[in-house]
Amino acid sequence: MSLIAQTFAELKAQNKTALITFITAGDPAPNLTVPLMHAMVAGGANILELGVPFSDPMAEGPVIQRACERALAQGVGIMDVFAMVAEFRKTNQHTPVVLMGYANPIERIGAARFIAESQQAGADGAIVVDYPPEECEEFSAAMRAAGLDLIFLLAPTSTEQRIAQVAQVGGGFSYYVSLKGVTGAGNIDTVEVAERLKAIRQHVALPIGVGFGIRDGATARAVAEVADAVVIGSRIIQEIENVGAEQAVAAVESFVAGISSALDA
């Protein structure tokens, strides 16, 4: 059982919904990434998503686009991200870390090296936004052989065929994108989310996390009524932008703690 699967199993036994939090590696500064990861765990995050900076993050809204630009301006690349995960693992071996990004950085170093470096650093899985499941059977099998989960996105527009493909090759959990649009945009319709998750669960046995549009404790708790995990990213990066680098770690821990408390209430 992967660490991600183990985490979901433990939370299910406690009748709890997982809190998955996202930051972009290297933002607002490379030396703050690992402290921010620890801060999110201290605030109550159960799984961490660490964004690999990329120059054309097509699924991201302006907030995460800016985070990628700040990280890239400081020279942060995929090898630096592996080093950050390895540093985090020196003092935390129990919180799953998922690398989230795009195909280009992986293709540049090669899939085999990406898997080897991820495993060596201590990552537990990856979300590659522009890897379609129908073209990922070999990559997914190689990830699974290395003890890593390949996690896929599902959208309001996903067909039954696409959902079935994700069920076949995905691991860890499935990430349901609650909005037709980019990260950080719009308001989530929890009734519509509940209906879509019911349809998805007819095909997908994995836990389902819901992200895009979750901005506060009330929304998180509403989503937690129907999902196995709540995913928050843009709102955390906004918090970093609001307070600046010097206060970022404390502000992120406080914000995540507020969401965690809302989920546990």
Side-chain angles (χ1 to χ4, degrees):
M1 182 182 289
S2 70
L3 186 57
I4 294 172
Q6 182 180 324
T7 298
F8 273 107
E10 290 172 355
L11 289 169
K12 185 176 181 180
Q14 300 170 46
N15 198 31
K16 289 186 175 182
T17 302
L19 175 56
I20 303 175
T21 57
F22 170 95
I23 58 170
T24 299
D27 177 57
N31 67 326
L32 289 179
T33 296
V34 174
L36 283 167
M37 293 170 74
H38 286 300
M40 291 189 293
V41 175
N46 305 112
I47 298 172
L48 304 182
E49 284 183 10
L50 189 59
V52 179
F54 184 53
S55 57
D56 188 24
M58 65 190 79
E60 314 299 355
V63 174
I64 296 180
Q65 286 180 26
R66 291 194 299 268
C68 284
E69 290 169 1
R70 289 190 292 265
L72 290 171
Q74 297 176 85
V76 176
I78 192 167
M79 299 308 296
D80 300 295
V81 178
F82 293 134
M84 292 166 179
V85 175
E87 183 67 24
F88 174 77
R89 279 285 174 248
K90 290 180 180 178
T91 50
N92 183 315
Q93 291 81 43
H94 65 274
T95 303
V97 177
V98 176
L99 304 181
M100 184 169 185
Y102 294 82
N104 184 280
I106 296 175
E107 296 296 324
R108 287 191 66 182
I109 67 170
R113 186 180 180 190
F114 172 79
I115 292 170
E117 295 282 359
S118 296
Q119 184 185 44
Q120 185 174 345
D124 300 286
I127 300 171
V128 188
V129 175
D130 46 352
Y131 268 177
E134 58 267 27
E135 297 179 14
C136 279
E137 290 187 12
E138 185 176 333
F139 181 62
S140 178
M143 288 276 286
R144 192 176 297 113
L148 303 168
D149 288 317
L150 185 59
I151 298 155
F152 288 95
L153 302 176
L154 290 169
T157 53
S158 293
T159 63
E160 283 198 26
Q161 181 182 6
R162 172 55 62 89
I163 295 169
Q165 288 165 338
V166 165
Q168 182 177 349
V169 299
F173 66 97
S174 291
Y175 186 146
Y176 179 67
V177 175
S178 64
L179 302 170
K180 297 175 184 176
V182 295
T183 55
N187 295 311
I188 192 168
D189 183 338
T190 53
V191 174
E192 183 180 343
V193 169
E195 292 175 355
R196 287 296 292 157
L197 294 195
K198 191 181 299 181
I200 290 169
R201 284 197 170 100
Q202 294 179 8
H203 303 276
V204 176
L206 293 170
I208 301 175
V210 174
F212 288 44
I214 300 172
R215 307 185 58 81
D216 52 37
T219 311
R221 186 163 181 182
V223 170
E225 294 291 328
V226 296
D228 302 295
V230 170
V231 188
I232 301 183
S234 293
R235 184 61 185 82
I236 293 173
I237 293 173
Q238 281 184 322
E239 198 69 22
I240 293 170
E241 290 184 329
N242 290 342
V243 303
E246 290 186 3
Q247 302 298 321
V249 173
V252 166
E253 180 176 341
S254 177
F255 175 77
V256 172
I259 300 296
S260 179
S261 295
L263 293 178
D264 289 340

